[in-house]
Amino acid sequence: MIKFDRVSKTYPGGQQALQQVDFHIEPGEMAFLTGHSGAGKSTILKLISLMARPSVGNVLINGHNLNDIKLSQVPYIRRDIGMIFQSHQLLMDKTVFDNVALPLVIEGYSRKQIQKRVSAALDMVGLLHKIQQLPQALSGGEQQRVGIARAVVNRPPLLLADEPTGNLDPKLSMEIMRLFEDFNQAGVCVFVATHDLGLIARMKYRTLTIKQGRMIDDGLNDQNDPLSTLSDLQDPNLPPMTKLPPKYTL
Amino acid sequence: MSLLFNGRAGDNTTRRVGFFQRVFMGGINHLRQALASLGELWRSPLATFMTIGVLGLSITLPSTLYLMVKNTEKVTAGWEQAGEISLYLQSGTTEQQANQLLLAVSLMTSKIDSARLIAPDIALEEFEALSGLGDSLAYLDKNPLPFVLLITPKPQYLQPEPAKRLLQELEQQSVVDFGKLDIEWLEKLYAIVSIAKDIVWIVAILLCVSVVLIIGNTIRLNILSQREEIAVMKLVGATDNFIRFPFLYTGFWYGFLGGLLAWMLVAFLLWWIQSGVENLAGLYQAEFTISGLDMQALGVILLISISLGLIGSLISVQKHIKEIEPS
Ligand SMILES: Nc1ncnc2c1ncn2[C@@H]1O[C@H](COP(=O)(O)OP(=O)(O)OP(=O)(O)O)[C@@H](O)[C@H]1O
Ligand SMILES: [Mg+2]
């Protein structure tokens, strides 16, 4: 579904965000991406959603190389990807309904369809009763859930989330994760970037770990020992990694 | 339409509706967007009114000048029609000679509409009556006025150039002292009117450019103030066109409302001037109404102002919407 083929990203200004990143997420898979702040998690998601382009290497979705996508085609790619952000990215002067309806309006759905799907999506995140509110009147967690409803309202085959539980208490975080599980069970490929390690530990899904722009664990090599990488991550005083990534030592 | 997933196109049921229904729904959608843009303008009435005021005033000036020039042309066209050539005969010409000339001139039917001879006695009487100098004229021992032949040329000889040639031809006749065609002032007037016309055009073009710039800048500010919204829309897959339309409609409304305001202002200005013009016309025992501000003029003004609005917003939208990218 998502394939990174020796991807490097250097931001304008010389900041090397990713170096030679390789991984593959299968269709219908649910996976987590974790790493320190500044490791390059958001950068990976931006490359998938075409908010950034790789400096070197190829990103493929469903076998299509995103390097071949023209600027004018980018909006159509984004319609296939549901995206959830840490900052909710809602339109503050539009109601919850209008916010969730936006992807459908853009795609030209009929009024009736929009009504039906928006209600269903809001029901799923438990916010149907706030459908006519403005986002300002919602709590941070509620705004986050509106963002999730918007991401799934047009039933994309791929769901990306960047720190979706950043604003939520542990109980609500778990509920959101269960929601992602439900989507995943319905066949959606879910890819979540987070540094909420406790949450990941409880979920038992494939976890990719990135450190200073290098993929140090793509979650396939040592499923039974995620703790080693976790403890490694939790120690900020560790010197920069000098050995080759696990991939090359195999 | 999904580029990445082949099976996904059928998911969207609106793609399955018929062509005409889709066109119809597209039309409804555009109408809704247009009204939404109008509502958006209504939400900040003061800013909207100021912008429309500037546009209205900018369009009013050239429109008013244009109508004035057109009306001036109409007036002078009336004067042209009254054009006459006066032939003054040499003093000492007998009545018989004068009548012979009248006959000869009357026979030039291809160039002359009518000719009339005014005898010195009649001319003197008329002069006495009009000037009020009756008593003093009685002291003259002999009538100093010559025979005068008043000639109305055919319409095609009323233009300055042909009229001049006709005058020269008539002056060749015997017993004619000199002819008079009071046309120089008309030529001067024509020259002035044509300069005025050029000025109107220059002013109009400059103000049209400024209207485009004003609308372009207003739309630019609108776009920048909605930066975040635009970024969000792009994030969920909006094409540039989708984002563009509301701003184009805003430009349309600015143009439309500005044009309407201009039309009302012009109507008011003409009404204001009209009384003065009536006064002036009364001095010349004439009646004159300023005309030209009809439905057609409204249509032209609206067409121009809406076009300017669309051009302004198009320029802004083309440049600035592309620049906004989510990050
Ligand atoms: N637009 C940008 N321009 C320049 N450098 C950037 C830009 N975005 C990110 N970076 C840099 O790239 C590196 C990776 O950033 P990224 O946002 O991917 O980290 P992250 O893993 O998402 O961190 P966090 O957990 O704090 O969100 C960082 O060092 C950051 O400074
Ligand atoms: Mg991040």
Side-chain angles (χ1 to χ4, degrees):
Chain A
M1 187 59 128
I2 305 171
K3 189 165 160 51
F4 270 54
D5 173 26
R6 269 166 293 154
V7 174
S8 298
K9 173 67 182 176
T10 309
Y11 280 109
Q15 175 64 246
Q16 270 235 321
L18 294 178
Q19 291 175 54
Q20 300 272 321
V21 170
D22 260 312
F23 68 90
H24 186 192
I25 291 172
E26 302 292 336
E29 201 177 347
M30 176 150 166
F32 289 98
L33 176 65
T34 188
H36 281 306
S37 177
K41 303 183 293 292
S42 298
T43 303
I44 286 182
L45 296 190
K46 281 181 186 171
L47 291 176
I48 300 171
S49 56
L50 283 163
M51 288 160 73
R53 300 274 193 168
S55 313
V56 185
N58 302 305
V59 179
L60 292 92
I61 301 181
N62 200 26
H64 296 269
N65 193 333
L66 294 188
N67 285 341
D68 300 337
I69 299 296
K70 284 188 293 238
L71 201 62
S72 60
Q73 295 172 322
V74 168
Y76 300 99
I77 302 298
R78 291 195 181 138
R79 292 174 192 184
D80 288 333
I81 304 172
M83 275 181 284
I84 297 155
F85 309 88
Q86 177 166 12
S87 60
H88 47 74
Q89 303 273 18
L90 300 176
L91 304 178
M92 296 314 267
D93 57 344
K94 296 270 163 57
T95 62
V96 167
F97 176 89
D98 288 337
N99 268 289
V100 177
L102 188 59
L104 304 178
V105 173
I106 285 169
E107 284 196 65
Y109 279 76
S110 71
R111 263 271 180 245
K112 234 168 61 191
Q113 282 278 327
I114 292 177
Q115 201 84 38
K116 213 175 81 186
R117 290 203 177 195
V118 170
S119 300
L122 280 174
D123 196 23
M124 211 157 14
V125 297
L127 283 178
L128 194 50
H129 58 292
K130 305 243 167 166
I131 191 164
Q132 287 307 333
Q133 304 259 25
L134 288 178
Q136 275 125 328
L138 304 183
S139 74
E142 285 169 334
Q143 290 177 356
Q144 189 65 277
R145 284 186 280 159
V146 173
I148 293 172
R150 185 185 64 191
V152 299
V153 75
N154 65 344
R155 298 178 197 155
L158 176 57
L159 193 60
L160 302 180
D162 193 358
E163 313 282 3
T165 57
N167 287 327
L168 308 183
D169 59 58
K171 185 169 162 291
L172 206 53
S173 298
M174 205 57 214
E175 270 175 37
I176 296 291
M177 285 303 161
R178 295 278 170 245
L179 215 55
F180 287 163
E181 268 185 321
D182 291 344
F183 295 134
N184 180 238
Q185 241 116 66
V188 178
C189 179
V190 182
F191 193 35
V192 183
T194 180
H195 41 215
D196 191 344
L197 296 172
L199 198 68
I200 297 175
R202 271 182 284 166
M203 296 286 291
K204 301 252 184 275
Y205 282 99
R206 176 180 170 192
T207 302
L208 299 90
T209 308
I210 190 159
K211 187 172 178 185
Q212 292 179 345
R214 287 176 185 273
M215 187 67 73
I216 55 171
D217 178 9
D218 68 359
L220 295 176
N221 304 325
D222 45 353
Q223 282 112 320
N224 51 0
D225 190 20
L227 281 175
S228 67
T229 49
L230 292 188
S231 59
D232 181 30
L233 277 169
Q234 273 149 358
D235 185 1
N237 297 323
L238 225 69
M241 204 179 63
T242 47
K243 59 181 182 184
L244 283 170
K247 183 176 180 317
Y248 292 100
T249 55
L250 264 178
Chain B
M1 182 172 77
S2 172
L3 294 175
L4 299 178
F5 302 92
N6 285 331
R8 230 193 136 216
D11 204 22
N12 183 347
T13 48
T14 54
R15 306 291 173 213
R16 285 197 225 119
V17 302
F19 175 74
F20 285 108
Q21 197 182 348
R22 234 161 68 202
V23 169
F24 177 73
M25 278 190 4
I28 293 277
N29 241 342
H30 274 280
L31 195 68
R32 196 180 288 140
Q33 274 190 2
L35 291 178
S37 292
L38 188 60
E40 202 66 36
L41 289 180
W42 183 246
R43 267 205 258 170
S44 50
L46 187 67
T48 302
F49 183 76
M50 289 203 296
T51 307
I52 290 171
V54 172
L55 300 180
L57 292 178
S58 302
I59 300 166
T60 301
L61 187 56
S63 307
T64 311
L65 289 178
Y66 175 74
L67 285 177
M68 306 268 270
V69 168
K70 265 200 108 169
N71 278 285
T72 313
E73 277 181 335
K74 207 178 80 182
V75 171
T76 54
W79 287 336
E80 240 174 280
Q81 291 306 315
E84 268 181 338
I85 295 174
S86 315
L87 281 187
Y88 296 84
L89 306 191
Q90 289 159 0
S91 60
T93 307
T94 60
E95 187 162 358
Q96 199 192 356
Q97 283 173 315
N99 273 321
Q100 266 173 7
L101 182 63
L102 175 64
L103 193 67
V105 169
S106 300
L107 285 175
M108 300 165 66
T109 46
S110 63
K111 296 173 181 170
I112 277 160
D113 220 15
S114 66
R116 189 157 64 93
L117 187 65
I118 296 175
D121 320 347
I122 298 166
L124 189 63
E125 263 170 42
E126 225 171 76
F127 184 60
E128 271 174 12
L130 277 175
S131 64
L133 293 173
D135 295 345
S136 32
L137 286 172
Y139 291 105
L140 293 169
D141 52 345
K142 140 171 176 280
N143 186 349
L145 296 174
F147 278 99
V148 177
L149 209 53
L150 282 184
I151 297 163
T152 309
K154 286 268 189 213
Q156 61 265 35
Y157 285 92
L158 283 170
Q159 299 295 323
E161 273 311 306
K164 231 179 215 168
R165 266 183 275 121
L166 179 62
L167 176 68
Q168 275 164 9
E169 196 185 329
L170 289 170
E171 277 178 329
Q172 303 295 314
Q173 304 278 343
S174 61
V175 302
V176 174
D177 189 4
F178 62 95
K180 219 171 158 199
L181 174 70
D182 207 1
I183 212 161
E184 269 165 32
W185 69 274
L186 204 61
E187 278 177 332
K188 280 178 196 155
L189 187 70
Y190 276 159
I192 291 171
V193 169
S194 107
I195 290 173
K197 245 191 201 161
D198 288 348
I199 291 175
V200 168
W201 273 112
I202 293 167
V203 168
I205 289 170
L206 288 181
L207 286 173
C208 284
V209 170
S210 78
V211 166
V212 168
L213 294 180
I214 291 165
I215 292 185
N217 196 46
T218 308
I219 300 286
R220 181 182 70 90
L221 293 178
N222 278 359
I223 291 174
L224 292 187
S225 76
Q226 294 187 35
R227 244 198 137 80
E228 281 161 29
E229 282 90 337
I230 291 173
V232 169
M233 291 209 267
K234 287 197 171 186
L235 270 184
V236 297
T239 56
D240 282 3
N241 267 335
F242 181 88
I243 298 167
R244 250 171 224 157
F245 268 111
F247 293 105
L248 293 185
Y249 279 120
T250 305
F252 167 88
W253 285 119
Y254 276 137
F256 178 80
L257 295 173
L260 214 58
L261 178 67
W263 186 77
M264 291 192 288
L265 283 176
V266 173
F268 173 73
L269 286 179
L270 290 191
W271 170 80
W272 184 295
I273 296 170
Q274 176 68 40
S275 65
V277 169
E278 265 167 19
N279 243 341
L280 185 67
L283 292 179
Y284 286 92
Q285 274 113 44
E287 246 179 63
F288 184 71
T289 317
I290 301 178
S291 66
L293 199 67
D294 44 16
M295 278 300 127
Q296 197 191 341
L298 174 64
V300 170
I301 289 178
L302 283 184
L303 197 73
I304 291 174
S305 59
I306 288 174
S307 309
L308 295 177
L310 285 179
I311 293 171
S313 51
L314 206 61
I315 293 172
S316 229
V317 151
Q318 287 294 36
K319 173 145 175 33
H320 296 293
I321 286 188
K322 216 173 279 164
E323 284 172 359
I324 299 176
E325 272 298 323
S327 61

